[in-house]
């Protein structure tokens, strides 16, 4: 493939670069603007008469933001001395090699994105693609100031961020080509670039979702230091303390439009509270997708958002790459020194639309692009400045461009020649651990005892061992509750594997059902975190920990609160596959939920969240209606390398008690036959297979005597695994009874019973002698009043009637 010179390539970098049908004159920036007070609103627009034919810049450049102004911010906001700031300036301005490093990084970013656009137009790149032209000063800073070991979290416009972080450009291009040689074997695509070796951890497509992930990654750095753990050659935890000069940080990229998302306030709170080593790079191009940000946001000064949390911010002009490098490096070093998080806002202009396929009908977008390419190109500005002042000759820069564009051509060639991934890979990437894994055989970390000894005091250890012994005694006597059984499993696993962490609301107090009881008192705040009241936030932070060698547990006080975390749950399920199997996602989510008869909790606390999440790929979803199941499944989930979700019955957390098979993990893919119909009833055609879970187990067990009094019997199967479904156990029972009744704790539309009915009809239809009987919740919201609730929530009396109908032919 022939690559045109960079200046030509820039002119054709997007399909939406169209000729104008009218002449456009650009209003000069007022000189008075340079003398404004520093608190000036960046997005102020000079009022113009609508009658004028001139194009007025909707979002004026910040030419007033000279290096002197940046230096003042570093002194006044970050506490640097003038001499220290001068050193940051001289380190760049007086070092020709460093300036060339910035230029090459920008040239590579521009050349790579131009090549992406060309390949997209040729049909070699498909789906959504978002290009970064015009914002090259940011990857230049990354190349200059960010280290390989720093954790990096970007959004869907991340190609240049990945390459500047050290990810091979050929692998990035191959990923866009959906090739096996791509960073994620073709499983991720343009919006999901991941590279474990360079700690480039996404590429996330849902706007702003990367914010809590990056906060969790920053927390993992603090956990490493507190626990004395670090990554080995395979990037798994080993019992080696980080070096004394460990100054790793977590970096997150976010647009100024995405910064208006509530997740921003939440991570600022977390960063301020925990003193997280977190750099928030705000890429301020004035457009939220294509919408003019000022049209939807009152304040675009994102760098000031951290004031209330003790987090400083710096504003720089992205037109001047050297200023971004100088100021950005000072901000990075501020974080590396242990002073906490900071915000770096880079004022830029994006030359392209949101994506090549974008019609760009938003107000002023096309005119702005044309103006910005002519007046706000950081590469042209750099070339002009450093050839005019004699630092570089035209020939030197020409040779640098030639070298870089040859590298881009090589990347395209590599992508072209890489093979497509095999079709079998899709199924292989469903789960990190296969569904029939025996978790009892998984070894504990060899360093567990040593790490526990140095991180848990003798007094704390004595207290928790006494607590564990008490719970184990209750378990042996058959007197332990579901909540206590889960608590016991959690403590056993947190001691067995010190990389296990836990997040919950009301954690110090044990939450509602004692699930996290004594975790913070034993393992400290570093491993047992009390969280703000937003499940999405702490599920997201847990995801960041999980990507960095830890095994987070999330306790939801009520599983329906997980609705706040649907984006994070979805991404947790997708991560292993999307990253091409690079990143495991060990995450255990546990909570009380479901809908019991006479629950009296109203609609919001009675939603079938277990049904809502069944459509999320990559999740293993289980239920437990007994202490034994809750204990054994919890232990297995904590050991699993993928995301798992355990639902326990909200109205039986303290009420249901029984024995526990101590020390034993249970499978995550099997149901449990709780009652087997007599052979006589089977022979007489009077037996029914009953599938149920959560509160339905109690209702069904209580109904067996009444069913048998009518001359019928049931195979009662507890669906301990909702996903994957145990079709083997279901099929074995149906081969005996030939009739199926499902007592379902979810709605008729889109519920668990609907999924099971479809699967049985497709795979086991020949075993059925009658239509499947679904006893599910109506689609109406669950009322508070018990008199109305009876019309919505099914119970034991409905099961008795359903079995009667199936056995007597009243379908």
């Amino acid at each position: 493939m022939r690559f045109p010179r960079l200046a030509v390539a820039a002119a054709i970098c997007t399909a939406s670069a169209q000729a104008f049908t009218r002449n456009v004159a650009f209003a000069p920036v007022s000189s008075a603007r340079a003398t404004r007070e520093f608190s000036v609103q960046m997005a102020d627009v000079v009022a113009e008469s609508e009658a004028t034919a001139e194009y007025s810049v909707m979002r004026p450049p910040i030419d007033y933001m000279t290096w002197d102004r940046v230096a003042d911010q570093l002194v006044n906001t970050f506490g640097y001395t003038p001499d220290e700031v001068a050193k940051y300036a001289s380190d760049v301005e007086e070092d020709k090699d460093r300036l060339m490093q910035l230029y090459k990084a920008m040239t590579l970013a521009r050349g790579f994105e131009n090549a992406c656009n060309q390949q997209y137009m040729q049909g070699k790149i498909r789906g959504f693609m978002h290009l970064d032209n015009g914002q090259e000063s940011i990857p230049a800073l990354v190349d200059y100031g960010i280290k390989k070991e720093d954790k990096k979290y970007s959004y869907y416009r991340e190609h240049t961020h990945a390459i500047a972080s050290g990810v091979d450009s050929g692998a990035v291009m191959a990923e866009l080509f959906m090739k096996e040689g791509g960073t994620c074997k073709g499983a991720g695509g343009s919006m999901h670039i991941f590279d474990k070796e360079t700690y480039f951890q996404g590429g996330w497509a849902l706007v702003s979702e990367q914010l809590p992930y990056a906060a969790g990654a920053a927390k993992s750095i603090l956990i490493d230091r507190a626990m004395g753990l670090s990554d080995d050659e395979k990037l798994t935890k080993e019992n080696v303390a980080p070096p004394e000069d460990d100054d790793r940080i977590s970096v997150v990229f976010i647009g100024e439009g995405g910064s208006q998302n509530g997740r921003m306030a939440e991570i600022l709170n977390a960063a301020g509270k925990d003193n997280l080593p977190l750099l928030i790079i705000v890429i301020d191009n004035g457009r939220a997708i294509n919408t003019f940000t000022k049209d939807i946001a009152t304040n675009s000064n994102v760098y000031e958002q951290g004031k209330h949390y003790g987090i400083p911010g710096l504003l720089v002009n992205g037109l001047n790459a050297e200023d971004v490098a100088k100021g950005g490096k000072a901000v990075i070093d501020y974080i590396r020194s242990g002073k906490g998080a900071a915000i770096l806002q880079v004022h830029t202009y994006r030359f392209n639309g949101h994506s090549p396929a974008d019609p760009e009908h938003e107000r002023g977008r096309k005119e702005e692009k044309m103006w910005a390419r002519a007046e706000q190109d950081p590469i042209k500005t750099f070339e002009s400045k450093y050839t005019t002042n004699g630092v570089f000759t035209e020939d030197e820069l020409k040779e640098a461009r030639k070298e870089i564009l040859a590298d881009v051509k090589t990347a395209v060639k590599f992508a072209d020649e890489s093979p497509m991934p095999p079709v079998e890979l899709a199924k292989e990437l469903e789960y990190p651990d296969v569904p029939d894994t025996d978790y009892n055989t998984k070894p504990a970390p060899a360093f567990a005892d040593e790490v526990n000894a140095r991180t848990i005091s003798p007094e704390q250890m004595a207290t928790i061992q006494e607590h564990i012994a008490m719970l184990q005694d209750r378990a042996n006597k058959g007197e332990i509750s579901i909540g206590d059984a889960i608590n016991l499993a959690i403590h056993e696993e947190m001691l067995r594997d010190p990389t296990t962490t836990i997040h919950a609301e009301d954690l110090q107090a044990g939450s509602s059902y004692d699930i996290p009881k004594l975790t913070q008192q034993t393992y400290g705040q570093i491993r047992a975190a009390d969280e703000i009241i937003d499940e999405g936030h702490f599920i997201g932070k847990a995801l960041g920990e999980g990507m960095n060698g830890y095994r987070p547990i999330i306790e939801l006080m009520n599983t329906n609160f997980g609705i706040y975390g649907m984006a994070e749950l979805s991404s947790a399920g997708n991560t292993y596959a999307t990253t091409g199997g690079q990143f495991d996602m060990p995450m255990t989510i546990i909570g009380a939920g479901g809908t019991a008869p006479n629950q009296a909790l109203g609609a919001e606390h009675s939603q079938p969240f277990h049904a809502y999440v069944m459509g999320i790929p990559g999740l293993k979803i289980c239920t437990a209606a007994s202490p034994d199941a809750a204990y054994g499944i919890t232990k297995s989930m904590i050991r699993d390398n993928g995301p798992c979700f355990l639902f326990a019955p909200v109205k039986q957390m303290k009420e249901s008690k029984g024995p526990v098979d101590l020390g034993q993990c249970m499978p995550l893919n099997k149901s449990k036959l709780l009652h087997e119909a007599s052979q006589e009833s089977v022979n007489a055609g009077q037996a029914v297979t009953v599938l149920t879970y959560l509160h339905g187990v109690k209702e069904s067990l209580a109904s067996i005597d009444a069913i048998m009094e009518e001359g019928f019997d049931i195979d009662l199967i507890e669906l301990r695994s909702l996903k994957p479904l145990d079709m083997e156990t279901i099929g074995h029972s149906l081969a005996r009874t030939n009739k199926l009744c499902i007592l379902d704790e979810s709605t008729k539309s889109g519920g668990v019973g609907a999924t099971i009915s479809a699967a049985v009809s497709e795979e086991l239809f020949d075993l059925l002698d009658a239509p499947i009987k679904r006893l599910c919740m109506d689609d109406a919201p669950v009322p508070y009043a018990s008199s109305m609730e009876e019309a919505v929530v099914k119970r034991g009396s409905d099961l008795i009637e359903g079995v009667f109908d199936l056995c007597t032919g009243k379908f």
Side-chain angles (χ1 to χ4, degrees), residues 18-191:
Q18 302 168 348
F20 282 38
T21 57
R22 62 184 177 89
N23 292 326
V24 180
F26 301 107
V29 178
S30 170
S31 61
R33 192 171 295 125
T35 61
R36 288 183 180 179
E37 291 298 320
F38 181 67
S39 60
V40 66
Q41 294 288 325
M42 294 183 299
D44 282 350
V45 178
V46 179
E48 297 277 355
S49 169
E50 292 184 359
T52 181
E54 287 190 342
Y55 169 60
S56 178
V57 180
M58 290 179 63
R59 178 172 173 266
I62 55 170
D63 297 335
Y64 64 86
M65 190 51 65
T66 61
W67 173 246
D68 288 343
R69 291 266 185 140
V70 175
D72 287 345
Q73 293 180 74
L74 291 174
V75 171
N76 297 328
T77 305
F78 286 82
Y80 282 106
T81 66
D83 287 345
E84 289 171 330
V85 173
K87 180 67 166 56
Y88 281 108
S90 64
D91 283 348
V92 174
E93 296 285 3
E94 298 176 12
D95 189 326
K96 185 174 180 178
D97 289 341
R98 197 154 280 169
L99 288 169
M100 179 58 77
Q101 179 185 356
L102 297 179
Y103 183 68
K104 285 184 174 181
M106 289 194 293
T107 304
L108 177 57
R110 179 74 59 86
F112 187 89
E113 296 293 66
N114 289 343
C116 287
N117 187 72
Q118 292 166 344
Q119 301 306 309
Y120 187 90
M121 295 308 158
Q122 294 178 31
K124 294 181 180 181
I125 298 174
R126 300 178 63 189
F128 296 132
M129 183 181 72
H130 310 85
L131 301 179
D132 203 37
N133 297 57
Q135 305 181 149
E136 289 82 6
S137 58
I138 294 160
L141 169 64
V142 173
D143 184 77
Y144 169 50
I146 301 301
K147 300 179 181 179
K148 173 183 175 181
E149 294 78 13
D150 294 330
K151 328 281 188 176
K152 303 103 179 168
Y153 285 78
S154 190
Y155 56 122
Y156 47 79
R157 200 181 307 278
E158 86 283 33
H159 310 158
T160 66
H161 306 157
I163 294 169
S165 298
V167 183
D168 180 77
S169 59
V172 176
M173 186 65 76
E175 186 62 33
L176 273 63
F177 275 43
M178 62 179 69
K179 296 296 187 69
E180 190 174 17
T183 56
C184 304
K185 301 181 181 178
S190 172
M191 297 183 286

Side-chain angles (χ1 to χ4, degrees), residues 437 439-440 628-633 635-637 661 664-668 720:
T437 296
Y439 299 95
N440 292 296
D628 190 43
Y631 171 85
I633 291 172
K635 291 177 75 72
S636 294
M637 286 186 166
D661 191 1
Q664 293 300 301
C665 296
M666 284 190 177
L668 300 182
R720 291 182 176 177

Side-chain angles (χ1 to χ4, degrees), residues 687-701:
V688 175
T689 297
V690 174
L691 306 179
T692 194
Y693 56 96
L694 294 177
H695 304 94
V697 173
K698 177 184 176 182
E699 293 292 311
S700 299
L701 288 171

Side-chain angles (χ1 to χ4, degrees), residues 760-806:
V760 171
S761 297
E762 293 169 0
E763 301 177 32
L764 304 173
F765 182 77
D766 290 343
L767 298 179
L768 295 172
D769 287 344
I772 298 170
K773 189 78 170 180
R774 288 173 57 197
L775 304 173
C776 53
M777 294 164 53
D778 286 356
D779 287 341
V782 178
Y784 170 67
S786 57
S787 59
M788 291 189 290
E789 184 200 68
E790 289 184 7
V792 178
V793 180
K794 301 303 184 286
R795 57 204 70 212
S797 57
D798 297 297
L799 176 62
I800 296 169
E801 183 178 346
V803 170
F804 179 88
D805 289 348
L806 283 171

